[in-house]
Amino acid sequence: MPMINDLTLKLKAKNIKFVAFDVDGVMTDGSLIYLPSGEQVKSFNAKDGQGVVMLNKAGFLTGIITAKESAVVLERAKTLGITKLFTGQKNKLNALEAIIEEFKIEKSQVAYMGDDYPDLCIIKEAGLSCCPNDAIQDVKKAVSFVSSYGGGKGAVREFCDFILKANGISWKSLTAK
């Protein structure tokens, strides 16, 4: 992970208290699968999910901010122990403002991972930002760093691992909890 050696990124990560993620294209590979009944199916990466669980165990607040309404996302949020779920967010900046107000933190203490235009408003405001390597170019140019992995293929895990390691938190110490 080349970004681990970047002192500026490590310092930003040491300041983080809340870590939020988009869903489609970040926690998933962006595929939208619909069953004949109209029900939506999403495929999540277990290793990405474990990264989020470990952030929670380490005491970070976690969130999902997505433009869509989805029972699948609600279930995934419950499974991961997500602190705050924002669905139906057409303007995701509203969610960021709600996080700051509710948890009494600064924008610089929020990390965010997104992949497309609706995420740019938060990416430009967050203290630390990341995107999967298959994000759109405008997002890649705006983030603090680009993951070496694609959405739903390890990008979330890499972001979580980076934040934990930058804060001196080992997996060994968390798995004992």
Side-chain angles (χ1 to χ4, degrees):
M1 260 189 273
M3 71 243 162
I4 290 293
N5 296 322
D6 187 320
L7 184 58
T8 303
L9 291 179
K10 282 184 179 181
L11 290 173
K12 286 181 177 185
K14 282 181 163 262
N15 194 38
I16 298 304
K17 300 209 179 304
F18 195 106
V19 185
F21 306 90
D22 178 34
V23 177
D24 294 328
V26 172
M27 296 183 105
T28 75
D29 68 4
S31 297
L32 299 174
I33 303 166
Y34 290 91
L35 300 178
S37 66
E39 184 181 1
Q40 189 179 60
V41 178
K42 293 182 185 290
S43 175
F44 295 94
N45 182 300
K47 291 179 188 83
D48 283 349
Q50 185 62 40
V52 176
V53 168
M54 295 310 238
L55 282 177
N56 289 328
K57 282 187 173 188
F60 289 91
L61 302 168
T62 55
I64 289 176
I65 304 172
T66 180
K68 295 188 178 111
E69 301 276 351
S70 168
V72 176
V73 172
L74 176 61
E75 189 59 36
R76 185 65 173 156
K78 284 181 189 175
T79 300
L80 298 179
I82 292 291
T83 310
K84 196 74 179 176
L85 174 62
F86 296 90
T87 60
Q89 297 295 304
K90 301 304 177 203
N91 179 353
K92 293 184 177 188
L93 205 49
N94 293 336
L96 177 62
E97 291 166 3
I99 289 165
I100 290 165
E101 185 176 322
E102 180 175 343
F103 297 101
K104 309 290 185 243
I105 57 176
E106 305 288 324
K107 289 178 184 176
S108 63
Q109 295 174 306
V110 176
Y112 184 75
M113 180 176 242
D115 70 313
D116 211 337
Y117 289 116
D119 302 306
L120 279 171
C121 59
I122 296 181
I123 286 167
K124 291 177 179 178
E125 298 290 325
L128 180 68
S129 58
C130 182
C131 70
N133 68 9
D134 55 357
I136 65 166
Q137 284 301 321
D138 286 348
V139 168
K140 286 181 176 182
K141 290 176 188 172
V143 294
S144 305
F145 69 90
V146 176
S147 171
S148 7
Y149 301 97
K153 306 278 188 215
V156 167
R157 178 64 172 264
E158 184 178 34
F159 193 40
C160 296
D161 284 352
F162 172 70
I163 293 168
L164 290 168
K165 287 177 185 174
N167 281 278
I169 301 167
S170 73
W171 280 88
K172 187 175 181 182
S173 70
L174 294 174
T175 53
K177 291 183 178 181

